[in-house]
Amino acid sequence: MMLIHCPFCGPRDQSEFTYLGDASITYPPLDAPYEAWCDAIFLRENPRGVAVELWQHTLGCRSFLKIVRNTLTHEILSVEYASPTMAAAMAAEAGLSVPPSTLPGEAAE
């Protein structure tokens, strides 16, 4: 079982989340040549160790999260909102002046 610390909902089981892919990919502009898009989509690294991933809390607050995770040990090093604008909005919705802690092991405020 992998426990993901959602900044808004607190610690939750991985089954509440959907993995959406590698968050470190830089996609080419929309008008880039076909080959550039093929390279960006199909020719990627498959990192062993620390990777930045995009997840969605689909069975919770529905937030998109950027998770730094060790792919060998499944240890989660950090969790943050994928969008700084969303982080501010979620904090305001919860009545907080700053987004909740994103450090594993600390409960959401």
Side-chain angles (χ1 to χ4, degrees):
M1 175 178 90
M2 188 167 66
L3 196 63
I4 297 176
H5 295 262
C6 176
F8 188 75
C9 301
R12 297 290 191 265
D13 185 75
Q14 166 201 341
S15 63
E16 290 189 15
F17 297 82
T18 302
Y19 173 75
L20 299 174
D22 186 346
S24 65
I25 296 172
T26 303
Y27 291 101
L30 292 176
D31 60 351
Y34 175 80
E35 294 77 18
W37 274 99
C38 285
D39 289 350
I41 293 171
F42 299 112
L43 301 179
R44 299 189 204 162
E45 295 294 320
N46 187 11
R48 282 181 69 166
V50 177
V52 181
E53 303 171 333
L54 183 63
W55 290 72
Q56 184 181 19
H57 194 179
T58 48
L59 298 179
C61 63
R62 307 211 28 95
S63 294
F64 289 91
L65 305 171
K66 187 168 39 171
I67 296 177
V68 179
R69 181 176 71 90
N70 186 320
T71 60
L72 294 175
T73 64
H74 298 293
E75 176 188 9
I76 294 177
L77 305 171
S78 71
V79 179
E80 63 184 41
Y81 291 106
S83 163
T85 305
M86 180 55 73
M90 294 296 276
E93 180 78 17
L96 303 171
S97 57
V98 295
S101 173
T102 58
L103 299 174
E106 293 185 15
E109 295 176 11

